[in-house]
Amino acid sequence: MSETNPLKHAADKVAKALRGAAEGPEDGVPGKPGPESPPVAEPTEPREPLPPKPDQTGPDTVSPTGQPTGADQARMAQSGSYLTDAQGTRLYDTDHSLKAGPRGPVLLQDHHLREKVMHFDHERIPERVVHARGAGVHGVFRSYGTAAGVTKAAFLAEDTETPVFVRFSTVLGSRGSSDTVRDTRGFATKFYTSEGVFDLVGNNIPVFFIQDAIKFPDVVHAAKPHPDREIPQAQSAHDTFWDFVTLHTEATHHTLWNMSDRGIPRSYRTMEGFGVHTFRLVDAAGATTLVKFHWKPKLGVHSLVWEEAQIINGVDPDFHRRDLYDAIESGAYPEWELGIQTFPDTPEQTFEGIDLLDATNLVPEELAPVQPIGLLTLDRNPSNYFAETEQVAFHVGHLVPGIDVTDDPLLAGRLFSYLDTQITRLGGPNFAQIPINRPHSPVNDMLRDGFHQTAVHRGVAPYRPNSLDGGCPFTAGADTGAFIETPVKVPEATKVRAAPESFDDHFSQPRRFWLSMSPVEREHIIGAYSFELAKCYEQAIRERALQVLANIDPELCAGVAAGLGLPAPEPTVPLAEVEPSPALSQVGHTWPTDGRIVGIVTGPDGDLDGVRAVREEVLSGGMVPLIVAPAGGTLGDGTDALTVQRTYATARSVEFDALLVAGTPGVGADAYGARDAKAGSPAAQLGTPDPRVGLLLAEAYRHGKAIGAAKGGETALEAAGIPLDAPGVVAGDTATAVLQQLTRLLGAHRVWERFPSAA
């Protein structure tokens, strides 16, 4: 064969790559993120960019007309030892915006901030860079009037109803990723008020990774899939994320929240929302109050356990959006109360020693209670995903009179970034004319032309002042509803790229969060850190992460170190003395069971009368009953026949909040491994119960869900190895009697006693 045989050429390349990998420190195990292993300490000696890994190459170097140039591929990439802007000018700082003093406002002249964030805003075509996967729904907000004393915003007057559109989302994944990944969730609300659009653009976590928006491109670059392989998708369990957050310890608080159960919500309906930043409210007399916004779900705050989330990602990657849409369609409208924490608007902008301009801080509710100011009800699903959910454009600068911003440097960058990103994503500057974005108040903005201009403007004088159009439009005053920025005094200061000293405390707030968790929640956090860091390739990053954890709490550090097989280091700073905040824990409360899903497991020979009765009881209790049987179709005859919603082949425990076995389930005709691998068990040949019922029950038990049995259903529990006297397991003579006890158990979300802790 010819020496140019492509098969031989390919084999030689593979052999060469394997030889190169075998020379590495891990004996050829694939997955190394870079050509060199990093040190534990941050590198400080200038050097040229690293070469590519042996398995990586790039396009041939050719001229614009396709002629080979012979240039080294590496010379076509980033070069030089020092950080520069896009024009090659060296930079001395890329972590701090240019401000009027360390605590002053961000300056418009910060060309590096604008270039860096502008480029970041346009890195995806056409989906969002972050929050690409979302689910949006319509609703209404009714104000209680309790905020009227601190703000003149018209939509917060008593009994005022305002239409809204809410978009929930994950941060890291693409539009095609899964819902139940461990990630921060977006909670963005567009209020169509009588005074213009107000957007409350928040997350399900009250703090953020960074303190200054100039680092936002960096943290997202680190958290997104590695740029060479575009994996892993929609998750933070990889080297670049942990490399960044362990070198930027200001990210520690948000990271701890993400590793807690908050990182994997049970549903959007049981998820808190936060405005993250500190805002300024202005009343009719001009008096100001600093506030933080909170969304409190009426159903309580609940999460998935990690194994549940992993199973759901495979069997139903649309789990959260399906849950949201199905709840609204069935009339179980999700509800949240909007609340505010209020603080005096002092020149220091601090409260009880907590810097209110630092977005990595929260204020414990025990120090500043959340005061309810209105009720959000989501009651209408979109009719077209693209036209509504995909084209909706939020912006933290969409404000109304009575609500103003502060000098939070993260918020300042967002005020620039959100407008800029819409230009690429929505094709030009006229995105406010897209139906989902249109204000419900008159618009006369003098803005003209541009891509996708759909308004047919009249008049000849889109400028002020004018006489040719009769002087219209006229400027408004405070007495006619104008938005007037709060006249906050800016102290005399020097232009600097710096952060105030109060931004240097990166561990006291994470320690408060850790100490506020229940034992089971702490175990989940240790498990999450252990899983994520074990997925990192580089040993140095694991060691660095353990040092960060040691500065939070020795129990946390020791637990993760044991999972990684590494020694637990000693803290490098004194452990902060803080009081726990019980409001941060999700465990120990009782919540409504509206919209909860109860699986009723039965078969043709099961207790069908009991199934009919318990189904009605579930519906009357505002919950959703799903009948699970060996095959589809109906059970029983005539008008009393029961429709089967799930079969043993299609049901998985992750879909249900509780299971009730009514009678002996029986065995499905497809209960063999070649048809359904879940039935590939010797038990399938032994009669009842079906092994898939056993899997269903065992998973539910393992995930701490309430389980009940009646009229012979106990045999299925025993076959699954579930003790009838275990916590959260109920047996009784009738299905309805069992349901009453299951409903009480559902109020706590899970049977937490089933999760023993190391302590």
Side-chain angles (χ1 to χ4, degrees), residues 155-423:
F155 81 100
L156 292 177
E158 186 174 2
D159 290 332
T160 300
E161 291 195 350
T162 303
V164 301
F165 187 79
V166 177
R167 187 176 188 271
F168 302 104
S169 56
T170 53
V171 172
L172 297 181
S174 67
R175 275 190 59 186
S177 58
S178 298
D179 277 346
T180 59
V181 293
R182 184 179 293 281
D183 195 4
T184 306
R185 265 70 182 179
F187 191 137
T189 307
K190 186 175 290 291
F191 297 82
Y192 303 97
T193 86
S194 60
E195 299 178 296
V197 167
F198 169 58
D199 286 347
L200 182 54
V201 194
N203 289 331
N204 73 319
I205 291 176
V207 294
F208 205 63
F209 284 111
I210 52 175
Q211 298 164 323
D212 192 313
I214 200 169
K215 299 184 217 180
F216 194 69
D218 300 324
V219 67
V220 174
H221 287 165
K224 280 285 190 176
H226 290 199
D228 53 352
R229 300 189 179 192
E230 185 63 10
I231 56 175
Q233 176 63 244
Q235 58 178 293
S236 54
H238 55 90
D239 289 78
T240 57
F241 172 80
W242 288 100
D243 187 38
F244 180 89
V245 299
T246 54
L247 291 172
H248 285 76
T249 50
E250 69 195 68
T252 301
H253 195 193
H254 187 120
T255 304
L256 186 61
W257 274 76
N258 229 27
M259 294 303 106
S260 78
D261 292 341
R262 302 292 187 126
I264 40 176
R266 161 61 179 81
S267 67
Y268 292 134
R269 298 183 292 135
T270 59
M271 186 178 81
E272 273 187 299
F274 303 91
V276 180
H277 306 286
T278 300
F279 290 84
R280 177 176 280 112
L281 298 187
V282 186
D283 67 13
T288 61
T289 305
L290 299 182
V291 301
K292 285 184 175 289
F293 289 104
H294 295 248
W295 289 112
K296 297 285 190 181
K298 299 288 278 186
L299 294 178
V301 187
H302 308 304
S303 299
L304 300 167
V305 296
W306 180 230
E307 187 190 35
E308 250 187 316
Q310 292 175 300
I311 294 172
I312 292 170
N313 282 337
V315 301
D316 188 5
D318 304 303
F319 186 77
H320 281 160
R321 59 172 63 183
R322 188 189 311 280
D323 175 271
L324 178 67
Y325 298 148
D326 287 354
I328 292 174
E329 184 178 7
S330 65
Y333 299 140
E335 292 183 327
W336 288 260
E337 278 193 314
L338 179 62
I340 54 173
Q341 289 178 296
T342 62
F343 320 102
D345 190 359
T346 63
E348 295 78 20
Q349 298 178 88
T350 62
F351 181 77
E352 298 289 340
I354 299 170
D355 193 329
L356 297 176
L357 299 186
D358 183 349
T360 68
N361 285 341
L362 59 80
V363 178
E365 294 183 29
E366 291 78 12
L367 296 179
V370 177
Q371 307 167 51
I373 64 173
L375 180 69
L376 169 68
T377 303
L378 301 181
D379 56 8
R380 289 177 295 127
N381 286 320
S383 57
N384 184 276
Y385 180 89
F386 179 82
E388 297 165 274
T389 304
E390 186 61 19
Q391 291 197 122
V392 68
F394 296 97
H395 176 36
V396 289
H398 290 163
L399 302 165
V400 292
I403 303 177
D404 204 349
V405 298
T406 58
D407 291 334
D408 175 345
L410 178 64
L411 178 58
R414 294 178 73 193
L415 290 169
F416 163 73
S417 176
Y418 278 61
L419 281 178
D420 181 65
T421 195
Q422 314 300 350
I423 295 174

Side-chain angles (χ1 to χ4, degrees), residues 82-104:
Y82 293 95
L83 177 69
T84 74
D85 64 14
Q87 311 307 315
T89 302
R90 290 182 178 180
L91 300 168
Y92 71 92
D93 190 318
T94 191
D95 282 347
H96 302 94
S97 300
L98 189 65
K99 297 185 281 290
R103 294 187 62 78

